[in-house]
């Protein structure tokens, strides 16, 4: 009887053991991938010092993605690293600048509803000197998946305005409404004025058109610009 009890015990424990083995096997790639990712910091805001470590970050993120290729957030981090690399080497004149958009495209294959990824595709396309029709498509999908996304608001306005004549009329109207909304939203006014100060004359005219309107008062906008300039000059 003792032997039978032992066999029954083994029979009960074996499925549990096998399930545990499967779970551990499934977890290993994610653990290893995020161990590599933990070596890096967010690449969304690059400083000159951070650029010195960029090759190491790219190597670590590539290793992470190789372990967990289905993780769109790791792919996003890697794409941002490639984008920073291209900018640091001279933007569209840098070698292999297409790595950023290719990596974002892989991330989008698994997460087509992530608005930020469409925004990053537009940024990469712009940095790489890509096709303007394709750029408009990326911006349209960004608005479709995240019409009120603060993380993309400044970038998509800047990119759309810099390619204004190539933007379809419906997209121009959407961007114009976005500009007006940013001006009406106190938290977005500073990013809007920062964008404006980086633009050329023709691009500034477009911003003013939607901020002020045909019969609007430009005094408030001009005061906001002065405040932004003073904040830049502050120690």
């Amino acid at each position: 009887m003792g032997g039978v009890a032992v066999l029954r015990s083994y029979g009960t424990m074996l499925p549990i053991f096998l399930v545990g083995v499967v779970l551990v096997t499934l977890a290993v790639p994610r653990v290893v991938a995020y161990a590599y990712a933990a070596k890096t910091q967010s690449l969304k805001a690059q400083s000159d010092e951070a650029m010195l470590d960029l090759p190491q970050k790219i190597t670590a993120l590539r290793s992470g993605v190789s372990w967990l290729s289905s993780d769109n957030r790791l792919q996003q981090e890697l794409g941002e690293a490639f984008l920073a690399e291209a900018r640091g080497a001279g933007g569209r004149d840098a070698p292999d600048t297409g790595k950023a958009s290719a990596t974002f495209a892989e991330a989008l294959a698994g997460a087509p509803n992530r608005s930020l990824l469409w925004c990053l595709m537009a940024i990469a396309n712009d940095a790489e000197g890509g096709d303007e029709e394709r750029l408009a498509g990326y911006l349209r999908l960004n608005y479709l998946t995240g019409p009120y996304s603060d993380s993309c608001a400044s970038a998509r306005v800047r990119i759309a305005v810099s390619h204004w004549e190539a933007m379809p009329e419906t997209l121009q109207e959407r961007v114009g409404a976005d500009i007006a909304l940013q001006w009406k939203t106190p938290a977005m006014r500073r990013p809007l004025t920062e964008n404006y100060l980086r633009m050329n004359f023709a691009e500034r005219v477009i911003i003013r058109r939607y901020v002020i309107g045909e019969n609007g008062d430009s005094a408030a906008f001009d005061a906001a610009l002065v405040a932004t300039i003073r904040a830049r000059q502050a120690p």
Side-chain angles (χ1 to χ4, degrees), residues 65 69-79 103-104 106-107:
V65 170
S69 60
S70 62
D71 192 303
N72 62 81
R73 295 187 185 276
L74 276 179
Q75 290 170 328
Q76 175 189 323
E77 285 274 342
L78 180 58
T103 305
F104 292 138
E106 290 177 6

Side-chain angles (χ1 to χ4, degrees), residues 21-86:
V21 170
V22 170
L23 290 175
V24 169
T25 302
L26 292 174
V28 166
R30 186 170 297 275
V31 171
V32 175
Y34 278 94
Y36 281 113
K39 297 179 181 179
T40 72
Q41 298 177 349
S42 174
L43 299 170
K44 294 178 182 178
Q46 290 294 332
S47 66
D48 291 339
E49 291 182 359
M51 287 296 294
L52 297 175
D53 297 327
L54 197 52
Q56 291 88 345
K57 291 181 178 182
I58 289 174
T59 299
L61 287 167
R62 271 180 157 164
S63 297
V65 170
S66 71
W67 275 91
L68 198 63
S69 60
S70 62
D71 192 303
N72 62 81
R73 295 187 185 276
L74 276 179
Q75 290 170 328
Q76 175 189 323
E77 285 274 342
L78 180 58
E80 289 177 313
F82 284 140
L83 187 57
E85 180 185 51

Side-chain angles (χ1 to χ4, degrees), residues 23-24 94 99 113 117 123 135 142 146 166 195 197 212 216 228:
L23 290 175
V24 169
K99 291 185 293 186
N113 62 333
L117 287 173
I123 293 171
L135 173 64
N142 172 249
N195 252 348
L197 292 170
I212 301 169
T228 299

Side-chain angles (χ1 to χ4, degrees), residues 203-226:
E203 294 165 355
R204 291 181 176 186
V205 169
I206 295 168
I207 296 293
R208 281 185 171 270
R209 181 192 311 163
Y210 291 104
V211 167
I212 301 169
E214 294 182 2
N215 302 310
D217 183 2
S218 64
F221 186 61
D222 291 337
L225 290 172
V226 170

Side-chain angles (χ1 to χ4, degrees), residues 55-158:
Q56 291 88 345
K57 291 181 178 182
I58 289 174
T59 299
L61 287 167
R62 271 180 157 164
S63 297
V65 170
S66 71
W67 275 91
L68 198 63
S69 60
S70 62
D71 192 303
N72 62 81
R73 295 187 185 276
L74 276 179
Q75 290 170 328
Q76 175 189 323
E77 285 274 342
L78 180 58
E80 289 177 313
F82 284 140
L83 187 57
E85 180 185 51
R87 285 171 170 169
R92 67 189 63 183
D93 296 324
D96 298 326
T97 54
K99 291 185 293 186
S101 57
T103 305
F104 292 138
E106 290 177 6
L108 278 164
N113 62 333
R114 286 194 61 207
S115 174
L116 179 58
L117 287 173
W118 290 114
C119 183
L120 290 169
M121 278 292 285
I123 293 171
N125 186 86
D126 182 51
E128 295 164 7
D131 179 71
E132 289 185 317
E133 184 176 350
R134 186 175 299 171
L135 173 64
Y138 296 148
L139 290 173
R140 187 181 292 109
L141 286 165
N142 172 249
Y143 275 112
L144 180 66
T145 54
Y148 306 110
S149 174
D150 289 346
S151 62
C152 300
S154 293
R156 65 190 179 192
V157 165
R158 174 182 58 78

